[in-house]
Amino acid sequence: MNKFSFSHGSMEVKHIDIVKNRTEQLNASFKAIAEARTILSRLEAMTGEIAEGKGADISAIAASTSGLRNCTDRILAGMVEAQTIPGVYLVPASEG
């Protein structure tokens, strides 16, 4: 069986570590997507209640939208980090 690794300077990242990182990060994104769906369902119900003329719990709306923003951040971070190599940070080449 072949062993894959990525070398960056004096650091070596093994293929299995890259796969584990990708899996963990994507799992975090999937969890955040599921949580966002739950929050959106709750907000949809609240919107329906407002449309029916019922009072709205502004603090619950604020907490839900804040939670949705948190989910969005976790989805983005997970998807970006799933495409990076753990411990390797790309630094732009200096001009000139």
Side-chain angles (χ1 to χ4, degrees):
M1 181 193 319
N2 292 333
K3 291 185 180 180
F4 297 96
S5 64
F6 177 83
S7 295
H8 184 287
S10 63
M11 183 183 158
E12 185 175 308
V13 179
K14 294 180 181 173
H15 184 260
I16 190 70
D17 294 329
I18 294 169
V19 172
K20 283 181 182 179
N21 178 65
R22 179 171 290 151
T23 302
E24 289 171 3
Q25 298 307 324
L26 291 175
N27 187 46
S29 288
F30 281 125
K31 285 181 179 181
I33 289 167
E35 186 178 335
R37 283 186 179 128
T38 301
I39 293 169
L40 285 170
S41 292
R42 191 176 324 131
L43 287 168
E44 183 178 32
M46 290 177 190
T47 303
E49 290 173 3
I50 293 169
E52 293 171 356
K54 297 177 182 175
D57 181 355
I58 300 300
S59 64
I61 294 170
S64 294
T65 56
S66 178
L68 189 57
R69 278 191 297 274
N70 180 278
C71 288
T72 303
D73 291 344
R74 291 183 359 237
I75 293 165
L76 174 62
M79 293 175 81
V80 169
E81 290 177 12
Q83 298 181 69
T84 62
I85 297 171
V88 177
Y89 305 97
L90 300 178
V91 179
S94 60
E95 294 181 27

